[in-house]
Amino acid sequence: MAGVLNQKRSFDGGFSCQSETHFPDRYRNLEEIFSRSDRSYSLLGAGLSYTAAGFGSHSDSVSLKDFDRILSFDSQAGEIEVEAGMSLGKLAQFTIPRGWLLAVQPGHPSITVGGCLGADVHGKNHAKDGTFKNQVLSFRLFHPDKGWITADRQTNLSLFDLTCGGYGLSGVVLSIKLRLTAACQKVRMQHHSLASIFELPKVLEELSAKSDLLYSWHDFSSAAKQGRGFVIQGVFEPNIERSINTDPGSEFHFQPLRSIDRGTGLPNVYSNLFIKFLNMGYGHSMKRKIHKVTSENLFESTFPIAKKTIYFDLFGRAGFFEVQLIVPSDRFADFSKAVLAYLQKHSPVVTLGSAKIFKGQANFLRFSGEGICFGVNTPQTESGRKLVEFLNGLASELKLKQNLIKNSTLTSEMVKSGYPDFEAFRTALNQWDSRRRFRSEMSERLAL
Ligand SMILES: Cc1cc2nc3c(=O)[nH]c(=O)nc-3n(C[C@H](O)[C@H](O)[C@H](O)COP(=O)(O)OP(=O)(O)OC[C@H]3O[C@@H](n4cnc5c(N)ncnc54)[C@H](O)[C@@H]3O)c2cc1C
């Protein structure tokens, strides 16, 4: 099966290259690709990681997009086995009408199940549901030198651990068996106001146990506002009954997303003035919702950005930076003071500030742990780059975990400071695959 030479770009616009991509659609084709050469390969889901985690200049990519079938579904137990290229949107269209939902889902329906496993993503209530790995019962993996292997928490546990959050470096996951949670028809939404970012940890802590979805939005258009904002809370309304309605209908509509198309032909339009007006408008619309309970459909509250993808286009072709890190709650006030002081002095454009609460521990390079998961977006401009340098420096100094899949400027030194298991992950990977058949721009940049 010959590959196709095509242009690729990370979603944040931070890295692009031309490389070959193979599109197997049968298991036999997949085996053939690897049998023909000793090259290194990278594995592509939807390619929506902000960094180049599924491709690179020194490897051919293998796209899993044509492996997107449902293999089995147990409607009583709430378990489903799907191929790894299935998108979250397609999965939700099948499970929601049947009364089931994947508890941990990132923000866009075009993202694939394989990509969620590769980056061990988080959803909208990490404190309650943990990461994607918690939803994985087992998977089937192909490695060119080892063949087909099934892994779960009893069989091949070390491979299970290395692959969930292993960034596609241990082999090709072809199918995944997932645990589902009871879905609902409507989500009860409440909005809580924050006078400043310093109130955030307490509010998130109080609400996390009684919420199904929980995240914050902050206005950083002027440091004088002290990162004021809102906490958005969603609670699943108990299901009236589990009805089988397989008509996808309008409730599942969304704007598809592709990295290569983001911001095509546009310059960056975000400036401090523009953000000030946008935040003012958004703030007013949110204020009207305070002390009110509204009802939203489940698909829209699971993927709030799915109909607002213009947000990413307005960064233009050049793109944006995201820094997302976990700050222990008892250090969040000092961290916030340092960030606000920087914003006050340098006034970079911050298009988004948002946070979630995380609980638990994690080994290897999984972006998980205990504290406040805090993220900001800024355009790829000189002042944006300087803000990212400042945040990277602060994260290294405080030994914070950064989300590897979101920040294309990370180096291995920065990652080592936040992840005590950095070397343990590398060692386990090299023991599993001494020839290192899988690599990407991200794995090379981080010397994984
Ligand atoms: C709008 C938007 C919102 C987002 N929201 C969140 C969020 O709330 N929480 C969060 O955690 N992330 C979030 N993300 C990031 C996103 O969930 C992850 O980057 C995810 O990994 C992207 O999946 P993908 O299908 O695009 O995979 P890719 O980006 O193509 O791949 C991701 C990684 O998984 C590996 N991989 C892919 N398929 C396989 C396979 N079959 N076998 C083995 N490895 C594989 C790849 O090699 C790569 O290392 C968001 C991204 C976007 C664009």
Side-chain angles (χ1 to χ4, degrees):
M1 245 200 119
V4 179
L5 188 66
N6 58 10
Q7 187 69 24
K8 300 183 182 67
R9 196 163 65 120
S10 60
F11 187 65
D12 66 1
F15 179 83
S16 54
C17 70
Q18 266 209 343
S19 65
E20 238 175 67
T21 309
H22 299 265
F23 295 95
D25 55 2
R26 307 219 159 120
Y27 295 169
R28 180 164 36 90
N29 299 153
L30 182 83
E31 291 174 1
E32 274 168 26
I33 292 167
F34 294 103
S35 67
R36 282 207 329 265
S37 94
D38 270 358
R39 272 183 70 79
S40 295
Y41 291 88
S42 42
L43 304 174
L44 256 182
L48 285 173
S49 290
Y50 290 18
T51 63
F55 63 93
S57 319
H58 306 123
S59 53
D60 286 1
S61 284
V62 177
S63 163
L64 277 301
K65 84 172 184 50
D66 290 325
F67 292 99
D68 72 340
R69 291 173 305 164
I70 294 170
L71 302 180
S72 69
F73 174 57
D74 181 336
S75 63
Q76 292 305 311
E79 292 175 8
I80 191 163
E81 187 173 10
V82 297
E83 289 180 328
M86 173 166 282
S87 69
L88 296 177
K90 188 170 172 187
L91 180 65
Q93 282 187 19
F94 179 83
T95 63
I96 292 178
R98 290 168 174 80
W100 294 103
L101 176 79
L102 190 54
V104 172
Q105 310 217 44
H108 199 277
S110 296
I111 290 167
T112 66
V113 171
C116 289
L117 185 145
D120 193 23
V121 301
H122 59 270
K124 284 171 201 63
N125 194 347
H126 179 285
K128 177 169 158 279
D129 303 311
T131 59
F132 196 79
K133 186 182 179 212
N134 284 14
Q135 325 308 315
V136 177
L137 295 169
S138 64
F139 58 78
R140 198 154 172 254
L141 172 141
F142 176 73
H143 188 285
D145 301 334
K146 296 166 193 279
W148 292 90
I149 303 162
T150 299
D152 59 25
R153 288 178 178 78
Q154 278 79 45
T155 320
N156 298 314
L157 174 63
S158 51
L159 178 63
F160 188 84
D161 216 29
L162 190 63
T163 306
C164 296
Y167 305 99
L169 301 175
S170 57
V172 192
V173 174
L174 257 298
S175 61
I176 308 173
K177 192 169 188 186
L178 294 161
R179 178 206 325 274
L180 301 170
T181 188
C184 61
Q185 279 163 353
K186 292 285 172 196
V187 183
R188 211 179 315 130
M189 302 298 294
Q190 275 186 273
H191 299 77
H192 309 263
S193 97
L194 297 170
S196 80
I197 194 158
F198 299 102
E199 294 177 1
L200 180 69
K202 187 164 173 278
V203 176
L204 290 181
E205 194 65 60
E206 278 170 12
L207 296 177
S208 72
K210 15 182 187 174
S211 310
D212 293 297
L213 316 169
L214 190 68
Y215 54 95
S216 68
W217 172 88
H218 301 275
D219 181 359
F220 287 118
S221 61
S222 150
K225 290 174 184 161
Q226 301 274 296
R228 72 182 181 191
F230 302 91
V231 168
I232 297 121
Q233 178 195 19
V235 178
F236 292 172
E237 290 187 350
N239 236 357
I240 300 91
E241 66 187 38
R242 193 164 288 160
S243 60
I244 299 186
N245 169 14
T246 49
D247 172 11
S250 61
E251 69 177 298
F252 295 115
H253 282 172
F254 62 93
Q255 294 156 347
L257 211 50
R258 284 197 334 151
S259 290
I260 201 72
D261 302 330
R262 192 203 50 71
T264 312
L266 287 173
N268 166 45
V269 303
Y270 291 116
S271 63
N272 275 326
L273 191 64
F274 184 43
I275 286 296
K276 192 173 164 187
F277 283 116
L278 274 185
N279 286 359
M280 215 186 283
Y282 186 68
H284 280 307
S285 73
M286 294 290 269
K287 262 188 201 145
R288 283 202 294 272
K289 294 181 181 169
I290 302 283
H291 306 306
K292 284 188 195 148
V293 178
T294 56
S295 195
E296 265 184 23
N297 97 37
L298 181 59
F299 190 78
E300 277 182 20
S301 55
T302 304
F303 302 115
I305 200 99
K307 288 185 182 165
K308 299 176 189 133
T309 55
I310 187 167
Y311 166 75
F312 295 108
D313 288 323
L314 295 184
F315 287 106
R317 193 76 183 152
F320 63 101
F321 296 104
E322 172 152 334
V323 175
Q324 189 178 47
L325 31 75
I326 306 171
V327 190
S329 297
D330 59 354
R331 300 166 84 183
F332 191 71
D334 287 343
F335 171 84
S336 302
K337 266 185 220 155
V339 173
L340 288 172
Y342 181 91
L343 300 181
Q344 182 102 51
K345 191 164 171 201
H346 301 280
S347 307
V349 178
V350 178
T351 55
L352 179 74
S354 180
K356 298 169 182 169
I357 185 162
F358 274 27
K359 296 268 184 211
Q361 300 303 323
N363 65 340
F364 285 163
L365 299 183
R366 279 183 271 280
F367 183 67
S368 186
E370 189 90 16
I372 305 296
C373 164
F374 174 78
V376 292
N377 288 176
T378 183
Q380 289 243 11
T381 57
E382 195 43 35
S383 66
R385 180 167 294 282
K386 288 200 170 124
L387 170 63
V388 172
E389 276 169 19
F390 164 74
L391 291 170
N392 285 343
L394 191 60
S396 296
E397 189 188 317
L398 301 176
K399 300 195 186 315
L400 307 179
K401 274 188 182 178
Q402 288 222 43
N403 194 343
L404 313 190
I405 212 89
K406 294 264 175 103
N407 184 345
S408 293
T409 70
L410 290 177
T411 63
S412 64
E413 286 312 310
M414 293 174 195
V415 177
K416 271 181 203 164
S417 71
Y419 287 85
D421 273 358
F422 182 89
E423 286 303 340
F425 176 80
R426 267 171 37 131
T427 305
L429 199 56
N430 287 322
Q431 275 170 358
W432 163 250
D433 178 6
S434 55
R435 292 171 74 202
R436 296 298 308 275
R437 300 294 303 272
F438 299 93
R439 61 184 66 229
S440 63
E441 183 276 334
M442 185 185 104
S443 78
E444 288 178 340
R445 175 169 38 83
L446 301 181
L448 295 179

